[in-house]
Amino acid sequence: AQSVAQPEDQVNVAEGNPLTVKCTYSVSGNPYLFWYVQYPNRGLQFLLKYITGDNLVKGSYGFEAEFNKSQTSFHLKKPSALVSDSALYFCAVRVHDVLSMDFGNEKLTFGTGTRLTIIP
Amino acid sequence: DTEVTQTPKHLVMGMTNKKSLKCEQHMGHRAMYWYKQKAKKPPELMFVYSYEKLSINESVPSRFSPECPNSSLLNLHLHALQPEDSALYLCASSQDPQGSYEQYFGPGTRLTVT
């Protein structure tokens, strides 16, 4: 089984300050981890993903995320927040198992989402 | 082109109506997905098509019927829906159903069942 937790429903950050949106995961194998952003009345947009290798992943719009295997975390970060970053953010996980024929690997498990508000 | 298109954008239907949602992608992706999303909640997986074959049905009621006419198109046929089925229906695609490939989402169809 795989699961994702986003412990904060709401994060407020002043414009220009660094932001962090937290994500922890639980999987039985090696994880592929993703961050998506959703603006009001829109679909989800892919921001970045961790596959393997360098623990610091850089993505769209200046976002980055740090994979921490020991803490099973994949927090989303940005050095300087913009008002336009205000949106709903979802962390997601898929288990990596090249030997498995379990179609469950096709499933992307989402966290509950964190609403990020950047205050001007 | 990384676009997934969905039509219509909005749909209002009565509980006795039959309607269809359409999704299209031209990225050559071999996996396509239907999700249901309630307000302020994460998307809930409904169906997965892998190489044009239905591979996952998440115990979705039979009033929702998916169809994949070809590798670029995905439909969701709706019949005898309930008011609780009102939601944002999202289509997504990915290069392959497994592995590290990210999913690309369409803008969604906002469905209201009256």
Side-chain angles (χ1 to χ4, degrees), chain B residues 10-29:
Chain B
H10 301 275
L11 179 62
V12 179
M13 59 185 292
M15 291 190 286
T16 59
N17 291 157
K18 289 184 179 180
K19 296 288 184 181
S20 296
L21 309 184
K22 297 183 184 301
C23 173
E24 191 167 4
Q25 57 88 12
H26 294 288
M27 296 177 278
H29 288 177

Side-chain angles (χ1 to χ4, degrees), chain A residues 17-45:
Chain A
N17 282 5
L19 69 87
T20 299
V21 182
K22 295 179 180 177
C23 171
T24 59
Y25 65 90
S26 174
V27 298
S28 56
N30 294 315
Y32 291 133
L33 293 155
F34 304 83
W35 274 102
Y36 288 86
V37 60
Q38 187 175 29
Y39 297 98
N41 299 311
R42 302 288 295 276
L44 278 69
Q45 294 180 30

Side-chain angles (χ1 to χ4, degrees), chain A residues 42-107:
Chain A
R42 302 288 295 276
L44 278 69
Q45 294 180 30
F46 168 72
L47 280 179
L48 51 79
K49 67 182 177 184
Y50 171 80
I51 304 173
T52 188
D54 193 348
N55 290 341
L56 186 63
V57 178
K58 294 187 182 296
S60 306
Y61 313 119
F63 284 95
E64 58 188 29
E66 186 170 10
F67 173 68
N68 187 317
K69 187 172 184 178
S70 62
Q71 297 185 6
T72 62
S73 66
F74 189 56
H75 301 331
L76 182 69
K77 300 181 180 183
K78 188 173 182 180
S80 179
L82 301 173
V83 173
S84 58
D85 293 329
S86 298
L88 185 58
Y89 290 79
F90 291 102
C91 183
V93 67
R94 172 186 282 154
V95 175
H96 167 51
D97 183 354
V98 296
L99 298 179
S100 173
M101 294 298 291
D102 181 3
F103 287 140
N105 284 342
E106 296 170 308
K107 296 183 184 180

Side-chain angles (χ1 to χ4, degrees), chain B:
Chain B
D1 182 10
T2 58
E3 188 178 25
V4 176
T5 59
Q6 290 187 244
T7 55
K9 290 184 178 180
H10 301 275
L11 179 62
V12 179
M13 59 185 292
M15 291 190 286
T16 59
N17 291 157
K18 289 184 179 180
K19 296 288 184 181
S20 296
L21 309 184
K22 297 183 184 301
C23 173
E24 191 167 4
Q25 57 88 12
H26 294 288
M27 296 177 278
H29 288 177
R30 304 317 302 266
M32 297 187 76
Y33 311 79
W34 280 115
Y35 290 88
K36 173 183 177 181
Q37 186 181 28
K38 291 283 198 178
K40 302 180 182 179
K41 298 292 186 182
E44 299 172 29
L45 183 65
M46 300 175 71
F47 303 104
V48 180
Y49 272 84
S50 300
Y51 295 85
E52 303 170 44
K53 295 187 185 303
L54 182 65
S55 60
I56 293 180
N57 177 340
E58 289 286 274
S59 302
V60 178
S62 59
R63 57 184 183 269
F64 295 91
S65 176
E67 178 195 21
C68 188
N70 60 56
S71 60
S72 299
L73 294 174
L74 188 65
N75 298 322
L76 186 63
H77 303 298
L78 314 173
H79 173 55
L81 295 192
Q82 304 297 309
E84 59 264 29
D85 296 323
S86 298
L88 181 67
Y89 287 84
L90 295 166
C91 174
S93 70
S94 65
Q95 186 170 337
D96 191 89
Q98 296 185 329
S100 64
Y101 301 104
E102 61 271 22
Q103 294 181 18
Y104 292 88
F105 285 79
T109 294
R110 176 74 59 189
L111 175 67
T112 303
V113 181
T114 60

